[in-house]
Every structure is written in C-alpha cells, then in structure tokens.
Amino acid sequence: MKIPIWLDCDPGHDDALAITLSCFHPALQLLGISASYGNAPATKTAYNARSLVTALGMFEQIPVYAGAQKPLYRTPEYAPDIHGESGLDGTELLPEPKCELQQGSYVEAMEKAILEHANEITIVATGPLTSLATLLIQKPHLKSKIKYISIMGGGIEVGNRNDNCSAEFNVWIDPEAANFILQDPELKDKSILLGLDITHKAIATQQVVDQVRGVVGKSKLRQLFYELFQFFAHSYEGAQDFKDGPPLHDPLTLIPLLEFYGWAPKSQVQFQYKRLDLRVVDDATHSDFGKTCVIKEYDPNDKRGTMVGFNANMDFFWKQILDCLAEAEKSSTIE
Ligand code: RIB
Ligand code: CA
C-alpha cells in the first residue's frame, strides 16, 4: 500500500525537491498539490508548481490547485532574500506549464482526497499552515480522518526570522494558523514537526550537489536542479552565512512517514523526535514574535505531544533525493 499524501507548498527551491520526492518515491501516492503564498506571492508559487510538475513530466497525473492567498489575519511576508522575486530564481530551464490550475477550490479538493483516503492520508505542509488551517476551520469533521500532518516549520533551538532570530519563516508568517494546528487537541498529537533543529542537519554540500548534477548522461532536468541548488546555496551563504551548503528543509517532511507507515525500518530511517506541546508567540510587538515555544514535554513513548524532529539518518535522506531525481529523469519533459 502506498502512503497517500496531499502536499501544500510554496515553491520555493526546497519545496521543488519535496514535490520531486512526492511524485517519484515508490512509497508515496501524491493525490494533489495546493500552492500557497509564502516564499513568493500565491500567483508565483502556483506558476512554479505547474512548471515543476511539467518539468517532471507529471502535469497530467498531479492536479495543482491554488492554495491560501494570504495569512489568516496578517499581511503576507515573502522570502525573496532566499528564493528570489519569482520564488524559484536561478535557472532559465523551468518550462512553460503544460497544465492549468485546477478549477474549484483546494478546500473541496482536499476534503475529497481526505474522505477517499480516510484514516490513511498524511497532509504534508512545507509552507505556512494557512491552507490547512483554513480547510479545518471550514471543515472540522475532517480532523479525525487525517492520519498524520507532517510540517516543515518552527524550531526549538534554531530560528531564521524576527529580531531575535528565534522564529522560523513558515510559522512566523502565519502564527495564528500554526497555533490552530499545534494547539488543537485533535491535531497536535498526530502532527510531525520538522523544524530548523533537524533541517539544518540536511545540508546540500557541493558533494551532494555534484551528485545531483550527475556525470553520465547529464540531462536537462539534472542541470535544472543543479542550477536551483546553486542559487539556493548562494542565497543561504549570503543571507544566513551557510558556508558548506544550504539546508534542504522541505523534503525532510516525507522521511518520518517512511518509518511510521512501515516502508523502511526504524534502524534505517533513524528519525529522532521529542513529544512536545507547543505554542507560537503571536504578539507582533514581542521580540520573539513567531517563536515556537515548548509548553510541556512528554515521555518519548507517550502518545501525547507533537512529534518534533531533532535528527535522522541523513545518508538515507540524500539517497531518497538522488534516487527520486534519477526516477524523475525518465519522465522529464525538458529537452
Ligand atoms: O524556513 C524554511 C522554510 O521557509 C522552507 O519551507 C522554505 O521553503 C521556506 O518556505
Ligand atoms: Ca517551503
């Protein structure tokens, strides 16, 4: 049985690898994508998502919906410092999309996907949590039908936004949406949080990037991803002084699922997490605005508390990335 997932993302360089894994990992069945504002305005992330599924040769198989257009209550912030104005700067190889945005709302499409895969589906969020919060505010009956929520967001000891650098971008741009998920008694204990504490251990070193580029039969798709990695690396070195390479945050959301659904043994994935109740600082006047704060820590074997990741087998992670890129090459449409 494949793992049914829905991906809400804000592509985004690292989101692009989350899309690639979601499309090509043998364990995963990607039901749909909703493109949210976040790294760039929603119009741009929607274009980027359509271009990426076209580049990957999956534009006929994977429906792309417009996701949340702005935070629940606040004005949107974007991340051109990391992703450029388009949200996916750094290459001329992104193809014109061969698919349009799906008609109809992502809320209705996600409800359909959840009900058709009730109690088996994982919602993966690699941008702000606005789309998911909006869905579950409008349709609370769906909360009990979701098996896991896997989130790239937050950080306990590490941050990349606010005056104290104590918040993480995805949570910081919509703290109310984050609190809606992380404080909800029906949702918090089945949420898996891949925060900066673990994602800053997934560094795309030059050795990794050279493997992405490949040597034999260097395809246009590999060149596309090589150029995206190079831009991402340059941005992270300039903006946050990452000298060994950029942290590849978003695809890590998929790794715990391989263990939790029994696709790979714990001894191989080695996902290490703490069970924590969390609250996000939502007072914009606070110097820790957007910070993910620990309210309570449970015993690791408890069923209560959000599963907050702190480490995993990164060799296993990079092998998933490289294997999925090799699979993607077989269906890529860019010549
Ligand atoms: O803070 C990192 C997160 O913000 C990643 O999801 C990246 O794509 C950006 O959205
Ligand atoms: Ca993202």
Side-chain angles (χ1 to χ4, degrees), residues 184-333:
D184 183 299
E186 268 197 277
L187 300 175
K188 71 178 182 72
D189 301 338
K190 55 185 170 184
S191 291
I192 310 163
L193 195 74
L194 292 296
L196 299 178
D197 309 277
I198 187 172
T199 68
H200 280 195
K201 295 172 181 170
I203 298 299
T205 60
Q206 195 56 51
Q207 182 196 6
V208 165
V209 176
D210 289 343
Q211 286 177 287
V212 165
R213 187 177 203 176
V215 181
V216 177
K218 191 173 64 182
S219 66
K220 274 278 191 332
L221 186 77
R222 283 188 180 273
Q223 184 63 21
L224 163 62
F225 276 93
Y226 177 74
E227 292 174 4
L228 290 176
F229 269 101
Q230 293 293 79
F231 180 90
F232 198 45
H234 182 70
S235 296
Y236 257 98
E237 181 169 14
Q240 297 181 29
D241 203 29
F242 278 76
K243 299 237 182 288
D244 296 335
L248 200 68
H249 310 278
D250 293 337
L252 269 171
T253 51
L254 301 161
I255 298 307
L257 305 183
L258 303 182
E259 183 177 317
F260 289 0
Y261 280 80
W263 261 81
K266 186 179 181 62
S267 58
Q268 196 175 23
V269 183
Q270 300 169 17
F271 181 55
Q272 296 168 29
Y273 62 90
K274 292 180 182 174
R275 284 273 190 177
L276 305 171
D277 279 354
L278 303 168
R279 183 179 53 76
V280 176
V281 177
D282 57 8
D283 171 359
T285 65
H286 197 294
S287 56
D288 277 330
F289 174 61
K291 178 177 167 60
T292 319
C293 301
V294 178
I295 302 302
K296 184 180 175 67
E297 180 167 352
Y298 298 92
D299 182 280
N301 298 317
D302 205 311
K303 294 299 177 206
R304 293 167 298 171
T306 299
M307 292 163 274
V308 181
F310 284 86
N311 211 341
N313 178 347
M314 294 302 168
D315 290 339
F316 174 81
F317 168 64
W318 290 115
K319 184 173 186 319
Q320 310 313 302
I321 296 278
L322 294 169
D323 288 353
C324 289
L325 271 175
E327 273 308 302
E329 263 187 313
K330 298 173 188 170
S331 77
S332 173
T333 62

Side-chain angles (χ1 to χ4, degrees), residues 10 14-15 39 126-127 170 250:
D10 60 339
D14 51 333
D15 302 77
N39 287 323
T126 63
N170 288 342
D250 293 337

